[in-house]
């Protein structure tokens, strides 16, 4: 059996696709949250061509006639880019590439309705000059039409405010359009703040008071948001291991046990978060064994907003114990929306052989990009703030934010991360993560990360 496998960074819309040809089969799938994989199956080795043309990638079997023409023979099968033969284009494509790498598409993650406006939560910042606004009018309605380059998560959204109306749609594959309409003539209120865009109707008061009005309204919104954004949030803190499962051991004597270190860190994190106004629940608050599956099930049952699992890492062997150190934050974010689940179930019938990243269940989860983005953001905020806090006093190695198949995260219906607070096997780091002083600092850092996440993703 011959297989030709190609990967590139990307997100596949709508689940796995499979195409059967006469003597080969092409399967396109989301291999991991960031990678699209194309697998070509055939009985024996076949020459595959990748033709890049503008925004299209054409995958085909080189026909034998093509092989005979000298021009095409110079192309290299394994390096698809070189098959762009036209010299003029080559220059262009080189120019284009870094641009595409630089800017990820901007996502509208969700849209909240407030008293007289909607707040679009964005995956990144947006500047005023990237937004276009124009007005139009027909017999019934006055409209203000706002557009920017971006991708709207989920379906078109519609909000009514008495006789006024706001719709948010994917106008074309690249453009999000927000239409505000009202039977009366109105001015639009537009407020860009960090990663959110607020659009609404200005009250049609006298022109003179307009500015004051706008200010007041924005201030009000801000106050409501900043005082409320934490209070209802439920955070499940999951101390890894417990009971018969000690987790990693720091030494042969077994005096340093992961289960104990992570439990006391988790409890400190919980009280820090409570102090800051969150509701906190623990999967375990004592030395108790809990199945992995029950941990996220608990979080799901409690309808938690975040799931944070706390672990300590261990070097793979004694040789590496002295060199392996640092803090790492992992994410894996699952989806439970009925729509994506159904789409996935349908698309995933058949073989799974080219998808070995996680279980079948978690593959279904890949399809909710919004949750992946959210977990990724949470992981970034937490990792960053752990480093900021701990580095005030200690030299800490940044292990970075990573994606990994931790079973404990599979099944969580909310943004979920797993923090490896340090290496228990490292001579000094092992001692450090066991100390209450350091755990206090860690708890502050993680809580700062949670604050930052909620603040930016209200
Ligand atoms: Zn662990």
């Amino acid at each position: 059996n011959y297989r030709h496998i190609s990967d590139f960074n990307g997100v596949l819309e709508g689940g796995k696709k499979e195409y059967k040809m006469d003597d080969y089969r092409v399967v396109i799938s989301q291999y991991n949250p960031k990678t699209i994989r194309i697998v070509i199956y055939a009985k024996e080795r076949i020459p595959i061509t990748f033709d890049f043309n503008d925004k299209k990638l054409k995958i085909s079997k080189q026909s034998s006639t093509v092989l005979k023409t000298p021009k095409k023979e110079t192309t290299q099968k394994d390096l698809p880019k070189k098959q762009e033969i036209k010299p003029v284009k080559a220059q262009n494509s080189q120019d284009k590439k870094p641009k595409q790498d630089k800017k990820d598409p901007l996502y509208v993650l969700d849209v909240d309705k407030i008293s007289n406006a909607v707040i679009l939560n964005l995956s990144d910042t947006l500047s005023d000059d990237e937004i276009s606004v124009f007005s139009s009018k027909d017999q019934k309605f006055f409209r203000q039409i706002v557009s920017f380059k971006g991708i709207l998560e989920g379906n078109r959204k519609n909000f009514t405010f008495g006789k006024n109306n706001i719709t948010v749609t994917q106008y074309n594959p690249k453009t999000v359009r927000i239409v505000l309409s009202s039977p009366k003539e109105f001015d639009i209120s537009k407020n860009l703040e960090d990663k959110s865009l607020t659009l609404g109707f200005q009250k049609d008061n006298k022109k003179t008071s307009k500015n004051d009005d706008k200010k007041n309204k924005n201030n009000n919104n801000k106050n409501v948001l900043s005082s409320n954004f934490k209070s209802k949030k439920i955070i499940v803190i999951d101390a890894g291991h417990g009971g018969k499962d000690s987790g990693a051991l720091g030494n042969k004597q077994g005096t340093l046990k992961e289960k104990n270190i992570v439990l006391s860190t988790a409890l400190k994190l919980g009280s820090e978060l409570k102090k800051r106004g969150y509701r906190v629940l623990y999967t375990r608050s004592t030395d108790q064994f809990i199945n992995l599956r029950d941990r996220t099930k608990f979080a799901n049952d409690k309808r938690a907003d975040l799931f944070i699992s706390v672990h300590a890492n261990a070097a793979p062997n004694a040789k590496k114990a002295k060199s392996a150190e640092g803090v790492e934050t992992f994410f894996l974010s699952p989806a439970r929306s009925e729509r994506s689940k159904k789409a996935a179930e349908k698309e995933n019938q058949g073989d799974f052989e080219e998808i070995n990243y996680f279980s079948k269940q978690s593959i279904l989860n890949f399809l909710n990009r919004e949750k992946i983005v959210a977990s990724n953001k949470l992981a970034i905020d937490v990792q960053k703030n752990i480093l900021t806090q701990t580095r005030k006093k200690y030299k800490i190695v940044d292990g970075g934010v990573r994606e990994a198949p931790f079973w404990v995260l599979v099944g969580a219906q909310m943004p979920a991360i797993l923090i490896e607070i340090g290496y228990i096997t490292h001579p000094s780091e092992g001692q450090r993560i066991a100390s209450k002083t350091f755990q206090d600092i860690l708890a502050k850092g993680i809580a700062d990360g949670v604050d930052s996440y909620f603040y930016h993703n209200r």
Side-chain angles (χ1 to χ4, degrees):
N1 284 341
Y2 172 68
R3 281 190 199 183
H4 182 288
I5 299 168
S6 333
D7 292 338
F8 60 91
N9 287 341
V11 178
L12 179 66
E13 290 285 352
K16 183 174 131 173
K17 291 167 178 61
E18 181 164 356
Y19 305 92
K20 287 202 173 80
M21 315 297 175
D22 284 346
D23 52 352
Y24 68 101
R25 188 159 63 91
V26 182
V27 178
I28 306 169
S29 63
Q30 190 74 42
Y31 179 64
N32 69 33
K34 282 187 173 165
T35 313
I36 294 177
R37 170 161 284 190
I38 302 166
V39 187
I40 294 155
Y41 297 88
K43 283 240 169 71
E44 53 195 33
R45 190 185 174 90
I46 55 167
I48 306 294
T49 23
F50 284 77
D51 288 311
F52 295 88
N53 189 354
D54 196 19
K55 292 177 195 162
K56 289 201 173 86
L57 164 59
K58 183 179 160 198
I59 305 161
S60 55
K61 188 181 138 185
Q62 258 176 12
S63 66
S64 48
T65 50
V66 174
L67 275 173
K68 274 172 201 160
T69 57
K71 262 187 194 170
K72 291 251 171 167
E73 252 176 356
T74 59
T75 64
Q76 285 179 332
K77 276 171 249 162
D78 298 327
L79 295 168
K81 263 176 207 152
K82 295 210 170 153
Q83 290 173 345
E84 278 182 309
I85 313 164
K86 290 175 195 162
V88 189
K89 276 227 162 178
Q91 189 82 42
N92 281 341
S93 68
Q94 270 178 1
D95 289 343
K96 262 183 202 165
K97 232 209 152 189
K99 259 189 217 161
Q100 285 179 339
D101 289 345
K102 228 188 265 171
K103 216 172 178 193
D104 289 336
L106 176 80
Y107 289 102
V108 177
L109 300 173
D110 54 52
V111 184
D112 294 323
K113 183 186 171 183
I114 55 172
S115 63
N116 209 23
V118 294
I119 304 174
L120 283 76
N121 296 305
L122 310 171
S123 64
D124 205 344
T125 52
L126 181 67
S127 68
D128 213 21
D129 55 322
E130 289 171 297
I131 304 171
S132 77
V133 184
F134 65 93
S135 39
S136 81
K137 179 189 166 206
D138 62 22
Q139 282 157 344
K140 277 187 180 171
F141 290 104
F142 293 88
R143 292 193 177 87
Q144 299 273 359
I145 295 145
V146 181
S147 319
F148 58 87
K149 280 201 173 135
I151 295 166
L152 175 67
E153 286 282 355
N155 293 333
R156 143 202 176 97
K157 291 161 178 65
N158 189 42
F159 304 90
T160 49
F161 305 83
K163 285 178 181 170
N164 298 348
N165 190 66
I166 300 180
T167 59
V168 185
T169 56
Q170 188 75 44
Y171 179 64
N172 66 35
K174 279 190 176 172
T175 311
V176 174
R177 170 171 276 192
I178 302 100
V179 180
L180 296 88
S181 56
S182 172
K184 280 199 256 170
E185 193 166 5
F186 67 98
D187 282 323
I188 189 169
S189 79
K190 176 160 94 13
N191 186 33
L192 259 175
E193 196 184 318
D194 197 28
K195 292 179 187 167
S196 70
L197 169 63
T198 307
L199 295 168
F201 301 91
Q202 272 188 31
K203 286 169 197 155
D204 50 356
N205 288 354
K206 297 160 210 158
K207 294 256 173 188
T208 46
S209 67
K210 202 179 270 174
N211 279 336
D212 291 343
D213 231 34
K214 190 182 171 186
K215 263 184 207 157
N216 286 337
K217 205 174 100 207
N218 287 338
N219 282 341
N220 286 341
N221 292 345
K222 225 176 160 183
N223 290 339
V224 170
L225 285 169
S226 54
S227 59
N228 278 352
F229 81 89
K230 287 178 184 178
S231 59
K232 288 178 211 150
K233 302 293 183 199
I234 302 171
I235 299 169
V236 166
I237 302 173
D238 173 54
H241 313 279
K244 64 182 181 188
D245 174 14
S246 295
L249 299 179
N251 47 31
K252 275 182 194 146
Q253 301 79 31
T255 49
L256 272 188
K257 291 191 177 91
E258 181 185 355
K259 66 170 183 178
N260 298 331
I261 293 174
V262 299
L263 176 59
S264 84
T265 306
L267 294 174
K268 282 177 183 300
L269 171 61
S271 47
E272 182 65 34
L273 287 170
K274 279 182 199 164
K275 256 194 246 167
R276 300 182 186 206
Y278 296 100
R279 283 186 59 199
V280 171
L281 298 166
Y282 301 99
T283 53
R284 70 177 181 102
S285 54
T286 57
D287 185 14
Q288 174 196 1
F289 178 79
I290 301 167
N291 279 321
L292 290 184
R293 214 188 313 149
D294 293 336
R295 296 172 187 257
T296 42
K297 188 180 177 297
F298 172 78
N300 293 342
D301 290 347
K302 299 291 178 191
R303 296 174 181 275
D305 295 286
L306 295 183
F307 180 84
I308 300 177
S309 191
V310 182
H311 285 252
N313 222 331
N317 54 52
K319 263 189 186 171
K320 290 191 175 152
K322 279 185 186 160
S323 58
E325 61 174 316
V327 56
E328 290 161 326
T329 305
F330 292 86
F331 72 96
L332 159 76
S333 196
R336 278 298 182 289
S337 102
E338 280 310 305
R339 213 185 64 157
S340 57
K341 234 165 119 178
K342 278 191 185 125
E345 271 160 13
K346 196 171 65 86
E347 297 294 348
N348 284 332
Q349 281 165 4
D351 67 30
F352 273 88
E353 55 186 311
E354 80 282 8
I355 310 169
N356 57 20
Y357 196 62
F358 296 133
S359 69
K360 180 177 170 181
Q361 183 53 52
S362 65
I363 289 159
L364 304 187
N365 295 333
F366 277 148
L367 298 178
N368 191 330
R369 201 170 45 215
E370 188 180 331
K371 288 280 161 55
I372 295 170
V373 170
S375 294
N376 191 357
K377 282 173 154 184
L378 174 64
I380 291 167
D381 281 338
V382 166
Q383 177 75 10
K384 197 174 99 189
N385 284 283
I386 289 176
L387 291 175
T388 308
Q389 278 293 348
T390 55
R391 281 178 170 172
K392 287 179 186 167
K393 257 184 105 174
Y394 304 91
K395 229 180 128 188
I396 303 289
V397 173
D398 179 9
V401 168
R402 295 154 183 254
E403 294 154 53
F406 282 109
W407 285 103
V408 68
L409 300 183
V410 172
Q413 290 169 3
M414 67 293 305
I417 56 169
L418 183 148
I419 308 165
E420 295 278 7
I421 58 172
Y423 280 75
I424 194 171
T425 45
H426 189 271
S428 55
E429 192 165 73
Q431 296 298 326
R432 189 160 62 212
I433 59 174
S435 84
K436 306 285 172 207
T437 330
F438 186 71
Q439 290 172 1
D440 279 327
I441 298 171
L442 266 177
K444 283 208 177 73
I446 299 168
D448 286 350
V450 170
D451 271 352
S452 159
Y453 170 80
F454 279 125
Y455 183 75
H456 292 123
N457 300 281
R458 285 166 292 181

PDB file of all heavy atoms in Angstrom, residues 240-241 247-248 258 310-312 420, ligand 1:
ATOM      1  N   GLY A 240      -4.256  17.120  39.948  1.00  0.00           N
ATOM      2  CA  GLY A 240      -3.995  15.841  39.290  1.00  0.00           C
ATOM      3  C   GLY A 240      -3.788  14.702  40.294  1.00  0.00           C
ATOM      4  O   GLY A 240      -3.441  14.934  41.449  1.00  0.00           O
ATOM      5  N   HIS A 241      -4.056  13.480  39.798  1.00  0.00           N
ATOM      6  CA  HIS A 241      -3.759  12.255  40.555  1.00  0.00           C
ATOM      7  C   HIS A 241      -4.501  12.205  41.901  1.00  0.00           C
ATOM      8  O   HIS A 241      -5.584  12.760  41.992  1.00  0.00           O
ATOM      9  CB  HIS A 241      -2.245  12.104  40.720  1.00  0.00           C
ATOM     10  CG  HIS A 241      -1.531  12.320  39.418  1.00  0.00           C
ATOM     11  ND1 HIS A 241      -1.409  11.358  38.456  1.00  0.00           N
ATOM     12  CD2 HIS A 241      -0.965  13.447  38.894  1.00  0.00           C
ATOM     13  CE1 HIS A 241      -0.775  11.851  37.404  1.00  0.00           C
ATOM     14  NE2 HIS A 241      -0.501  13.124  37.638  1.00  0.00           N
ATOM     15  N   GLY A 247       1.067  10.006  41.065  1.00  0.00           N
ATOM     16  CA  GLY A 247       1.622  10.850  40.019  1.00  0.00           C
ATOM     17  C   GLY A 247       3.132  10.679  40.008  1.00  0.00           C
ATOM     18  O   GLY A 247       3.652   9.656  40.457  1.00  0.00           O
ATOM     19  N   ALA A 248       3.819  11.690  39.528  1.00  0.00           N
ATOM     20  CA  ALA A 248       5.272  11.592  39.414  1.00  0.00           C
ATOM     21  C   ALA A 248       5.914  11.692  40.798  1.00  0.00           C
ATOM     22  O   ALA A 248       5.385  12.348  41.698  1.00  0.00           O
ATOM     23  CB  ALA A 248       5.792  12.699  38.512  1.00  0.00           C
ATOM     24  N   GLU A 258       3.869  14.082  43.361  1.00  0.00           N
ATOM     25  CA  GLU A 258       3.100  15.043  42.562  1.00  0.00           C
ATOM     26  C   GLU A 258       1.714  15.285  43.150  1.00  0.00           C
ATOM     27  O   GLU A 258       1.251  16.426  43.242  1.00  0.00           O
ATOM     28  CB  GLU A 258       2.971  14.533  41.117  1.00  0.00           C
ATOM     29  CG  GLU A 258       2.197  15.498  40.224  1.00  0.00           C
ATOM     30  CD  GLU A 258       1.935  14.963  38.816  1.00  0.00           C
ATOM     31  OE1 GLU A 258       2.433  13.871  38.488  1.00  0.00           O
ATOM     32  OE2 GLU A 258       1.216  15.643  38.054  1.00  0.00           O
ATOM     33  N   VAL A 310      -4.104  20.900  37.368  1.00  0.00           N
ATOM     34  CA  VAL A 310      -2.759  21.252  37.851  1.00  0.00           C
ATOM     35  C   VAL A 310      -1.930  19.982  38.016  1.00  0.00           C
ATOM     36  O   VAL A 310      -2.345  19.041  38.699  1.00  0.00           O
ATOM     37  CB  VAL A 310      -2.844  22.010  39.199  1.00  0.00           C
ATOM     38  CG1 VAL A 310      -1.451  22.420  39.666  1.00  0.00           C
ATOM     39  CG2 VAL A 310      -3.745  23.230  39.075  1.00  0.00           C
ATOM     40  N   HIS A 311      -0.798  19.964  37.357  1.00  0.00           N
ATOM     41  CA  HIS A 311       0.098  18.809  37.410  1.00  0.00           C
ATOM     42  C   HIS A 311       1.542  19.258  37.582  1.00  0.00           C
ATOM     43  O   HIS A 311       1.857  20.434  37.440  1.00  0.00           O
ATOM     44  CB  HIS A 311      -0.002  17.997  36.111  1.00  0.00           C
ATOM     45  CG  HIS A 311      -1.245  17.184  36.016  1.00  0.00           C
ATOM     46  ND1 HIS A 311      -1.252  15.830  36.138  1.00  0.00           N
ATOM     47  CD2 HIS A 311      -2.540  17.563  35.842  1.00  0.00           C
ATOM     48  CE1 HIS A 311      -2.493  15.386  36.032  1.00  0.00           C
ATOM     49  NE2 HIS A 311      -3.303  16.425  35.842  1.00  0.00           N
ATOM     50  N   ALA A 312       2.397  18.281  37.890  1.00  0.00           N
ATOM     51  CA  ALA A 312       3.834  18.538  37.893  1.00  0.00           C
ATOM     52  C   ALA A 312       4.476  17.551  36.926  1.00  0.00           C
ATOM     53  O   ALA A 312       4.034  16.406  36.802  1.00  0.00           O
ATOM     54  CB  ALA A 312       4.401  18.381  39.290  1.00  0.00           C
ATOM     55  N   GLU A 420       1.517  22.280  33.817  1.00  0.00           N
ATOM     56  CA  GLU A 420       2.606  21.532  34.445  1.00  0.00           C
ATOM     57  C   GLU A 420       3.438  22.581  35.161  1.00  0.00           C
ATOM     58  O   GLU A 420       4.176  23.345  34.533  1.00  0.00           O
ATOM     59  CB  GLU A 420       3.453  20.810  33.383  1.00  0.00           C
ATOM     60  CG  GLU A 420       2.716  19.727  32.603  1.00  0.00           C
ATOM     61  CD  GLU A 420       2.632  18.383  33.328  1.00  0.00           C
ATOM     62  OE1 GLU A 420       3.027  18.303  34.512  1.00  0.00           O
ATOM     63  OE2 GLU A 420       2.159  17.417  32.692  1.00  0.00           O
TER      64      GLU A 420
HETATM   65 ZN1  LIG B   1       0.394  14.584  36.515  1.00  0.00          ZN
END
